[in-house]
Amino acid sequence: MRVQVAIIGSGPSGLLLGQLLHKAGISNIILELRSQEYVLGRIRAGVLEQGTVDMLDAAGVGQRMHTEGLVHDGTELCFGGRRHRIDFKQLTGKTVMVYGQTEVTHDLMDARAAAGLPTIYEALDVSLHDLDGKQPRVRYRKDGVEHEITCDFVAGCDGYHGVSRASIPADKLREFERVYPFGWLGVLSDTRPVSDELIYSNHERGFALCSMRSLTRSRYYIQCSLDDKVADWSDDAFWEELKRRLDDEAASTLVTGPSIEKSIAPLRSYVAEPMRYGRLFLAGDAAHIVPPTGAKGLNLAASDVQYLWQALAEHYGGSDAGIDHYSERALSRVWKAERFSWWMTSLLHNFPETGAFGRRIQEAELDYLVHSEAAMTSLAENYVGLPF
Ligand code: RFL
Ligand code: PHB
């Protein structure tokens, strides 16, 4: 089989890239290790920047998002027992869209199926060959049968644990990493969200976040120990701990209920440079990870895809400028989102090793932030998304 672009991974980056390439008349196939049900069962990000919303519209999959998604004009920061609002719209003129990654993935998969584009689920042992030559090949096994695809380019959209980045010779890649000494315990429940907007809470017992998926479905997180297991946390224990980390009003109005999903995610910052090796281009979590505190993971995947599909379209139009500058352009935005995500994480979590001094610095920074329009504007500008 021959296609122009072989895409590895059917997460948001692979699916969005496939759709935009198709719209540009560029043939592509997606190879996905897992089943479609497995991919749709993962509960991940919830906040879309305007730029991501615009891309989903351009890909022709924005309809349900505009009906069911919730537009948020701001967010709340909670510390010292009080909540303070950051008004994105007033400070930047922009808003964000609360619409789950699961729904985004669903909409993209539906559009891909409607357009009759090929996706091979449960493609095992994907391997990449001749990436530094003119015609790369991708091999995989499906239902016990070996297959080979020849292509012009490979898009590595297969996440942090994928095969794409691992196919780049170690001496061609530089890695940057910070692992945080805690994780997030997340709970999804069919309960009314505690507030109209997200609440990011700094508390001496640890960080907490109140988010949502709809007006009847909530997503809550608390900072937890890396030694904690999901089984250690009963629903009751989770709700009690969440309430302790919120202001009195939120704690007393919080509606609790049975969890429909509960998981622990470790927090890390990671970047691999460059995001290209020969005819392989990395996009999304395959190239970088951010801690979720800035809600940037999915949005960065989208901006990589924006640079990449344009670069590939330019290539077929006769210019290689886009593919030659892809890594540099993408990394420039990636590092700014890394910085913001690291800063939000540092500001809002409990770092026991920084002691009482670190705690006072956080308190001073939070107090400064909510009393300085310049500081609030900086947070808002990054949260709604830097231009791309
Ligand atoms: P994905 O979504 O990880 O998709 C990669 C796809 O590649 C497949 N794959 C392979 N396919 C073929 N062959 C192989 N060898 C393969 N190896 C892997 C995988 O099965 C998968 O389907 O990456 P993508 O598309 O770049 O999208 C990035 C986003 O998913 C990610 O940035 C965010 O979800 C990050 N993230 C969160 N971001 C937020 O903004 N807010 C959150 O609350 C949030 N929670 C999370 C998260 C990421 C998590 N991970 C990666 C474990 C929670 C978790 C648990
Ligand atoms: C979520 O709704 O899952 C979510 C929202 C904001 C974040 C992280 C996760 O910063």
Side-chain angles (χ1 to χ4, degrees):
M1 183 182 186
R2 192 177 196 300
V3 289
Q4 288 171 298
V5 182
I7 300 173
I8 318 300
S10 77
S13 38
L15 288 164
L16 186 53
L17 179 66
Q19 210 56 28
L20 292 164
L21 290 178
H22 168 67
K23 291 232 161 221
I26 300 169
S27 66
N28 63 84
I29 186 169
I30 296 185
L31 302 180
E32 165 61 48
L33 173 65
R34 307 286 190 166
S35 68
Q36 186 167 12
E37 298 67 45
Y38 182 96
V39 174
L40 284 172
R42 293 189 290 226
I43 309 293
R44 289 183 175 177
V47 179
L48 308 181
E49 297 171 358
Q50 185 60 50
T52 307
V53 169
D54 293 344
M55 283 184 70
L56 292 167
D57 282 335
V61 298
Q63 211 176 349
R64 194 164 68 96
M65 167 181 69
H66 287 293
T67 318
E68 297 178 17
L70 305 169
V71 174
H72 283 197
D73 293 352
T75 194
E76 291 189 290
L77 291 183
C78 177
F79 58 93
R82 284 188 55 209
R83 272 189 266 163
H84 306 260
R85 184 157 189 272
I86 312 267
D87 191 326
F88 302 148
K89 193 159 186 192
Q90 194 196 345
L91 294 163
T92 69
K94 294 189 186 151
T95 58
V96 292
M97 172 78 82
V98 173
Y99 189 64
Q101 178 168 335
T102 315
E103 307 312 319
V104 172
T105 308
H106 217 296
D107 296 344
L108 283 163
M109 282 178 173
D110 286 353
R112 191 166 176 87
L117 305 179
T119 308
I120 313 291
Y121 289 101
E122 297 175 271
L124 303 181
D125 294 334
V126 169
S127 60
L128 313 182
H129 307 269
D130 300 335
L131 293 169
D132 52 356
K134 279 217 166 338
Q135 195 165 76
R137 287 170 300 120
V138 180
R139 291 199 194 126
Y140 66 97
R141 189 158 42 81
K142 169 78 183 171
D143 298 331
V145 181
E146 305 284 339
H147 299 266
E148 183 172 284
I149 298 168
T150 50
C151 54
D152 299 332
F153 299 101
V154 179
C157 301
D158 47 352
Y160 184 68
H161 301 286
V163 67
S164 300
R165 194 182 67 252
S167 304
I168 302 178
D171 64 338
K172 300 283 190 236
L173 208 62
R174 188 156 176 215
E175 296 176 288
F176 303 81
E177 183 172 50
R178 165 166 300 204
V179 177
Y180 300 87
F182 41 72
W184 279 17
L185 169 66
V187 157
L188 190 68
S189 67
D190 276 328
T191 51
R192 180 165 52 80
V194 66
S195 174
D196 294 342
E197 295 180 335
L198 272 60
I199 306 174
Y200 287 86
S201 182
N202 168 300
H203 190 276
E204 58 192 8
R205 295 180 65 89
F207 171 75
L209 170 61
C210 304
S211 182
M212 65 192 74
R213 289 291 174 274
S214 70
L215 297 177
T216 55
R217 181 168 283 190
S218 301
R219 180 70 166 158
Y220 296 106
Y221 298 94
I222 55 174
Q223 175 182 351
C224 67
S225 158
L226 283 174
D227 298 326
D228 284 3
K229 303 275 172 284
V230 172
D232 301 338
W233 283 91
S234 67
D235 287 359
D236 284 348
F238 177 86
W239 295 122
E240 277 317 302
E241 187 58 35
L242 176 62
K243 283 184 194 172
R244 283 196 198 107
R245 299 183 189 187
L246 301 176
D247 60 286
D248 290 345
E249 194 208 332
S252 62
T253 53
L254 179 80
V255 182
T256 64
S259 62
I260 51 176
E261 194 265 359
K262 199 187 280 165
S263 52
I264 292 180
L267 267 65
R268 100 173 53 230
S269 300
Y270 171 88
V271 182
E273 292 183 358
M275 289 169 61
R276 172 188 187 179
Y277 171 68
R279 287 179 167 253
L280 166 67
F281 296 90
L282 302 178
D285 279 16
H288 41 72
I289 298 287
V290 286
T293 328
K296 288 283 160 259
L298 173 58
N299 294 298
L300 268 191
S303 58
D304 288 352
V305 166
Q306 175 72 4
Y307 298 134
L308 186 53
W309 87 262
Q310 284 179 340
L312 293 169
E314 269 175 52
H315 166 83
Y316 290 109
S319 162
D320 276 350
I323 59 174
D324 288 342
H325 291 118
Y326 167 70
S327 177
E328 199 187 318
R329 285 180 81 193
L331 283 168
S332 158
R333 192 168 192 277
V334 164
W335 275 111
K336 292 186 188 91
E338 290 284 347
R339 185 209 67 84
F340 177 65
S341 305
W342 159 84
W343 175 75
M344 285 283 278
T345 304
S346 311
L347 180 67
L348 293 170
H349 290 73
N350 178 22
F351 289 79
E353 69 281 10
T354 65
F357 180 81
R359 177 99 203 115
R360 283 284 187 272
I361 292 289
Q362 272 187 345
E363 287 166 3
E365 182 153 16
L366 285 162
D367 191 41
Y368 163 66
L369 177 63
V370 299
H371 291 100
S372 157
E373 185 159 323
M376 279 192 291
T377 306
S378 170
L379 188 158
E381 176 173 69
N382 282 276
Y383 196 92
V384 300
L386 297 175
F388 60 91

